[in-house]
Amino acid sequence: KLLRLSRKYGVLVAGVSIRPHDNVFVRLLNEAFGLSLTHINDDNVLLFLLEDGDTTTVINRPVERGRIRVNDWYEFYMKTHERILKVEFVSHGRPFEEYIKIRDLVYSTFISRPSPDTIYGPSPVVMAYDRARHHVGELKRRILGVLEFCFREHLSQILSGERK
């Protein structure tokens, strides 16, 4: 039902794993090059193969034992800040175009500004940081205003002799 709704409204369903322990990429390497890499997972291999900002190509996910078949299920790996991320998504028929959109969005979430006062690109992390900073400033202003008001009222009561 979720996938039907996502197709109907043109919304991509995607997920990001920050600690992938799959071996889909390793199995593909084994098949393509006649290797016998065993007891090693994709993130360990890709840490050494990819440079920061690199991604693998789109991989069409095979059907896994015990799981229902999902058509147009793809994944790719990317390396950012010495970390391997696995991104899985269900395509709407344009896996490479969708991969580019997802890749750019995911990569931009890991970009932070060089210093707090520097405007640095449209990044969800930067925007969230700016909003949080604004909200903290508002909270600080309001809390200080309430404390100042209460202090002045209390001081006024003491000076006028109305202290209760």
Side-chain angles (χ1 to χ4, degrees), residues 74 79 92 99-100 111 117 120 126 145 152 158:
Y74 295 91
K79 184 175 184 179
H92 293 178
Y99 148 78
I100 290 168
I111 297 172
D117 297 326
Y120 192 70
V126 170
R152 287 181 189 272
I158 290 175

Side-chain angles (χ1 to χ4, degrees), residues 113-143:
R113 67 178 78 209
S115 68
D117 297 326
T118 305
I119 297 173
Y120 192 70
S123 162
V125 171
V126 170
M127 292 169 65
Y129 176 81
D130 287 344
R131 285 187 184 138
R133 193 171 171 193
H134 171 74
H135 291 308
V136 166
E138 280 297 304
L139 279 172
K140 182 179 175 183
R141 186 181 65 77
R142 290 179 185 192
I143 290 169

Side-chain angles (χ1 to χ4, degrees), residues 136-154:
V136 166
E138 280 297 304
L139 279 172
K140 182 179 175 183
R141 186 181 65 77
R142 290 179 185 192
I143 290 169
L144 288 174
V146 167
L147 288 173
E148 184 180 353
F149 174 78
C150 290
F151 178 73
R152 287 181 189 272
E153 281 296 308
H154 183 69

Side-chain angles (χ1 to χ4, degrees), residues 6-73:
S6 76
R7 289 182 200 286
K8 179 180 176 180
Y9 294 105
V11 175
L12 283 172
V13 174
V16 178
S17 298
I18 59 171
R19 290 182 170 261
H21 295 292
D22 239 345
N23 67 348
V24 172
F25 188 80
V26 170
R27 282 186 279 151
L28 290 172
L29 284 178
N30 286 341
E31 289 173 23
F33 297 106
L35 302 174
S36 61
L37 299 173
T38 57
H39 306 299
I40 189 166
N41 52 22
D42 294 341
D43 56 333
N44 290 330
V45 169
L46 291 169
L47 265 173
F48 296 102
L49 292 178
L50 299 178
E51 296 291 327
D52 191 34
D54 286 350
T55 64
T56 64
T57 189
V58 176
I59 301 167
N60 193 347
R61 287 287 306 198
V63 177
E64 293 182 358
R65 242 180 324 188
R67 292 191 176 181
I68 62 170
R69 176 161 180 73
V70 177
N71 295 325
D72 299 317
W73 180 14

Side-chain angles (χ1 to χ4, degrees), residues 73-91:
W73 180 14
Y74 295 91
E75 73 178 33
F76 64 93
Y77 293 87
M78 63 190 307
K79 184 175 184 179
T80 179
H81 297 94
E82 298 303 315
R83 173 180 280 177
I84 299 296
L85 304 174
K86 179 176 80 169
V87 181
E88 298 179 68
F89 67 99
V90 179
S91 174

